[in-house]
Amino acid sequence: MTDPAPLPRADRLVLGEAPDARPLRLVEPDGLEPALGALEPAQRAWVEASGFRARLGQLCLVPGRDGAPALALFGHGDAAARARSRFDLGKAAEALPEGTWALDAPEEHQAEAALGWLLSRTRFDRYRKGAEPRDVRLAVPGALDAERLHAIADGVALTRWLIDTPANDMGPAEIEAAARALAAEFGAEVASTVGEDLLAANFPLVHAVGRAAAPGREPRMIDLIWGEPDAPKITLVGKGIAFDTGGLNLKPGASMGLMKKDMGGAANVLGLARMIMAQGLPVRLRILVPSAENAVASASFRPGDILASRKGLTVEINNTDAEGRLVLADALALADEESPEVLLCWATLTGAARVALGPELPPFFTDDQIMAMELTDAATRVKDPLWRLPFWPGYEEKIEPGIADLDNAPSGGMAGAITAALFLRRFVENAGAFAHFDIYGWNQTTRPGRPKGGEAMGTRAAFAVLCDRHPA
């Protein structure tokens, strides 16, 4: 294993007064007249002539006496418009002239606006020549909790960077290297079990899924631990399939094009771990990433195989393209053995979740009513959308094939997200609260604060819940 490479970080906010900063003023439609009244007559005439109406995302540069932009007005829209959007100040970050801009906004909107700015400034330029970032900065009031905003933005930046990196440079070994770099940043410990050693360590499903991969891309279980041993145990599990061909149930080309993001669960839990450690939450954090490449070769596992799991449950393989739940099963069983207070699992698991809720609204599953309420509230509060789906017991029989304990891909095509979640729940018995997030992990288009490419989903909401439960 080579030395870990430096991990990406988000931009930094300028705290407090900045002498050279020009005002960036958020204006709502019902506050337009007072905002215009605060301008010099010539400036007011300019703004009125420009057609600025404080609609959401509108930007108006207002010149000073020398003709250069002296301040900027940014439309914040009304409540109905804001309910349909997120992080719109990110649009200003892309359009403003270079320099420092001082955020002038009501206190209740400052944190979201500043985070939108930071999230818009993350760009994946690893493979682009001459992609120099623009020198534009945001100064925020000194009372704003910039440390927390930086922790969140850094976590999201890491998640996006990991997902955006193509599979030739982000195999299981590179995912482990990223975990080790994160551990080095915060003084955590990392262990891994690789290749044939997975069998001796009782991770048979991780081994089966990844055993056909080429040399250098061996499957592995990555295990990161941080925090005081006697602190509350919080365990995060993330699906780390570095590339998913579908195995012998080969995907068509159109379905394979985005499969570099099939390690999006791993990317999300590593990003969330970065938030937790940067904020110094008083928890015993454990990150488990079962990582493999679902490749096609003579050693590939086959439809019809019956495989053992760490927990002892046997699994009939009815589709080798339903491999994510297999590697997660071994990881969840390991996590459950130490009875964590909270066990959270992220995975780009099913297309059924996207059919049900679309690419921007990930479902989560939990039997814990308190956790469900906390996640639902936090998702709304921090604009990190989530929607609860049920562990519906009436579908349990769909994952029971008769010839083995479990079926990894029930026939019929109905309720695929729920049956996958039920499969995972069979491997969790002792955790205090368990929740599973079935994410897409990708922005299909570029919008303010959300560039096209890999995305963190549900982690900001989960971070808010954990901060409320365990304040630093």
Side-chain angles (χ1 to χ4, degrees):
M1 181 65 60
T2 58
D3 292 336
L7 298 178
R9 296 178 72 197
D11 278 3
R12 285 320 187 241
L13 300 168
V14 179
L15 300 183
E17 294 185 7
D20 61 339
R22 291 166 284 181
L24 172 58
R25 193 164 296 152
L26 268 61
V27 183
E28 297 181 17
D30 59 5
L32 179 58
E33 185 56 36
L36 293 176
L39 301 176
E40 296 179 3
Q43 291 177 322
R44 175 170 184 150
W46 173 277
V47 174
E48 290 176 337
S50 73
F52 180 78
R53 297 293 182 269
R55 291 188 293 270
L56 188 65
Q58 255 191 315
L59 177 67
C60 182
L61 295 174
V62 183
R65 294 180 181 179
D66 61 357
L71 65 114
L73 303 180
F74 186 78
H76 203 218
D78 57 21
R82 291 195 298 273
R84 299 177 62 177
S85 187
R86 290 181 275 166
F87 306 126
D88 286 275
L89 193 66
K91 185 179 294 185
E94 296 304 306
L96 287 169
E98 292 190 339
T100 303
W101 297 85
L103 179 63
D104 181 0
E107 184 177 352
E108 64 268 24
H109 297 307
Q110 290 174 4
E112 181 188 327
L115 183 59
W117 177 284
L118 292 174
L119 295 182
S120 74
R121 298 283 294 156
T122 64
R123 283 290 181 269
F124 186 71
D125 55 10
R126 178 175 176 178
Y127 300 94
R128 294 179 59 194
K129 294 181 179 179
E132 292 296 327
R134 295 172 61 248
D135 185 17
V136 58
R137 299 172 297 280
L138 184 68
V140 298
L144 196 64
D145 189 352
E147 181 181 353
R148 178 164 174 163
L149 293 177
H150 290 153
I152 294 170
D154 283 349
V156 172
L158 174 58
T159 295
R160 291 174 174 176
W161 179 80
L162 290 169
I163 297 174
D164 285 337
T165 301
N168 59 307
D169 287 330
M170 191 54 65
E174 288 79 14
I175 294 172
E176 180 181 339
R180 291 187 179 277
L182 185 63
E185 184 176 346
F186 294 101
E189 298 178 359
V190 177
S192 66
T193 307
V194 180
E196 295 304 309
D197 290 343
L198 289 164
L199 293 175
N202 195 21
F203 299 119
L205 292 178
V206 180
H207 177 270
V209 170
R211 70 193 184 198
R217 299 181 72 84
E218 295 86 358
R220 65 202 62 216
M221 180 70 76
I222 304 162
D223 191 345
L224 181 152
I225 296 178
W226 173 88
E228 296 299 324
D230 57 350
K233 292 182 174 65
I234 308 297
T235 301
L236 312 177
V237 175
K239 173 186 169 185
I241 300 297
F243 193 83
D244 182 18
T245 66
L248 293 179
N249 290 114
L250 192 68
K251 291 178 182 289
S255 300
M256 210 183 298
L258 271 183
M259 282 302 98
K260 71 175 184 178
K261 77 175 183 67
D262 213 23
M263 41 66 68
N268 270 260
V269 299
L270 290 172
L272 176 54
R274 193 181 208 182
M275 299 178 202
I276 292 168
M277 293 188 289
Q279 195 68 9
L281 299 192
V283 299
R284 178 69 164 178
L285 179 66
R286 189 179 193 185
I287 309 297
L288 293 173
V289 174
S291 186
E293 180 169 7
N294 190 16
V296 178
S298 60
S300 296
F301 70 119
R302 296 162 291 262
D305 284 355
I306 295 179
L307 305 176
S309 69
R310 179 181 183 86
K311 193 175 179 65
L313 297 172
T314 56
V315 182
E316 182 182 16
I317 306 303
N318 280 310
N319 192 323
T320 62
D321 197 17
E323 84 299 327
R325 67 201 70 184
L326 299 177
V327 299
L328 288 171
D330 278 352
L332 289 171
L334 173 62
D336 195 57
E337 288 166 11
E338 63 174 11
S339 304
E341 174 187 296
V342 173
L343 174 55
L344 304 178
C345 170
W346 269 262
T348 51
L349 202 61
T350 70
R354 253 52 65 207
V355 171
L357 298 176
E360 296 184 35
L361 183 58
F364 75 96
F365 300 78
T366 184
D367 287 323
D368 189 282
Q369 299 301 325
I370 294 176
M371 176 64 73
M373 290 188 292
E374 289 174 328
L375 284 170
T376 300
D377 172 72
T380 300
R381 178 161 37 102
V382 304
K383 291 196 172 183
D384 191 12
L386 292 169
W387 194 263
R388 188 184 184 187
L389 290 184
F391 282 121
W392 180 245
Y395 295 155
E396 290 279 5
E397 63 182 17
K398 293 181 179 294
I399 61 171
E400 298 169 346
I403 192 172
D405 295 316
L406 294 170
D407 183 338
N408 84 317
S411 61
M414 298 288 189
I418 296 175
T419 55
L422 289 171
F423 181 97
L424 296 181
R425 190 176 65 167
R426 292 291 184 97
F427 296 87
V428 179
E429 293 181 322
N430 303 311
F434 169 58
H436 157 60
F437 301 80
D438 190 339
I439 64 170
Y440 187 54
W442 190 262
N443 293 320
Q444 296 175 303
T445 59
T446 293
R447 282 159 294 181
R450 292 177 289 162
K452 182 178 179 180
E455 186 59 289
M457 292 184 164
T459 52
R460 291 187 297 104
F463 180 60
V465 170
L466 294 175
C467 286
D468 290 343
R469 286 191 174 205
H470 306 285

